[in-house]
Amino acid sequence: MRASRLFIAGTAVVLGLALITRAAGAQTAAPTRDDIVGKLNHFEEATEVDLPALKQQVMERAKTRIKNDPGPVNRPLVAPDLAKLPAFNAQIQFDADTPIIQPASYQTVGRIADALVHSSLLPYTFLIVGHVESNSKTREANAILSQRRADAIRDVLVNTFKISTKRLHPIGLGEEQFLDRAKPTAAVNGQLQILTYAKVPEDAPARPATAPAAKKPAKKR
């Protein structure tokens, strides 16, 4: 009888661990292509964001002396208009302090590529936005790291998945635009964002070929 009870108890423990493991796996599973498309395909209006100017502003703010910094919680967003754009937040794992993508995130990057070539998203360009949570590094170092990570995702999408480079605009915001301002050190602030940015510029229509001049009829001799 005792052996039977131990067997039942052991079985219950194994089943419980299996359920916990399955739940954990479900939480870290890569998003589907349709999940990503659903987040990005409701573009309405482009924002007036000057990307070169924004990059410069991020670096200038990141170099601000500590005495002039209101602190992570009160730090204003560097580009609040980006919040108006359709967004997909991706949990991409990188090696510590590097732009090297860990193998566990390859599937997620592949799903992003699949989404970007979906028929409903082909007419658009996208921002690849890098963020970094507040940590022991300087804000300047984190701004540089976030840009390198955004560049790394762009490079994989272009070189491996053949997404047109004209459709992808990487920008690193470092600590200058927390996704959760109330918790600057939270892992969510290290997520990478894909934002639907604008419509792909239409190619200028080809000029019609000039019709050859009609030959004059030969004069009769």
Side-chain angles (χ1 to χ4, degrees), residues 9-184:
T11 302
V13 171
V14 171
L15 289 174
L17 289 174
L19 290 173
I20 292 172
T21 302
R22 183 177 300 177
Q27 292 175 356
T28 57
T32 67
R33 180 200 65 174
D34 291 342
D35 290 336
I36 301 170
V37 171
K39 295 282 188 180
L40 298 178
N41 71 352
H42 50 93
F43 177 84
E44 294 180 359
E45 185 178 356
T47 62
E48 300 295 329
V49 177
D50 183 333
L51 291 180
L54 177 57
K55 287 183 180 182
Q56 182 177 354
Q57 185 181 0
V58 168
M59 292 308 303
E60 289 177 352
R61 272 188 37 162
K63 294 177 182 179
T64 301
R65 293 183 179 181
I66 295 177
K67 66 179 182 180
N68 297 324
D69 180 26
V73 175
N74 298 317
R75 193 174 296 151
L77 303 180
V78 71
D81 285 347
L82 295 185
K84 302 175 184 178
L85 297 174
F88 169 71
N89 292 12
Q91 188 65 51
I92 305 294
Q93 301 295 329
F94 296 91
D95 286 351
D97 300 326
T98 78
I100 300 173
I101 303 166
Q102 293 186 359
S105 293
Y106 290 171
Q107 187 177 33
T108 297
V109 178
R111 297 280 172 79
I112 291 172
D114 289 342
L116 297 186
V117 296
H118 187 275
S119 59
S120 65
L121 295 184
L122 279 177
Y124 300 104
T125 64
F126 300 88
L127 297 183
I128 302 171
V129 185
H131 302 270
V132 179
E133 68 274 19
S134 184
N135 51 41
S136 61
K137 305 294 182 182
T138 66
R139 285 169 61 190
E140 182 180 5
N142 281 334
I144 294 171
L145 178 61
S146 68
Q147 182 65 56
R148 293 177 66 201
R149 287 178 170 177
D151 290 341
I153 296 296
R154 185 272 315 273
D155 291 345
V156 171
L157 291 173
V158 170
N159 298 327
T160 302
F161 297 99
K162 309 307 178 185
I163 307 295
S164 171
T165 188
K166 295 179 180 179
R167 298 178 64 211
L168 304 174
H169 306 284
I171 176 74
L173 300 184
E175 296 182 45
E176 310 311 311
Q177 184 132 323
F178 289 121
L179 297 176
D180 186 350
R181 295 175 68 189
K183 300 177 181 178

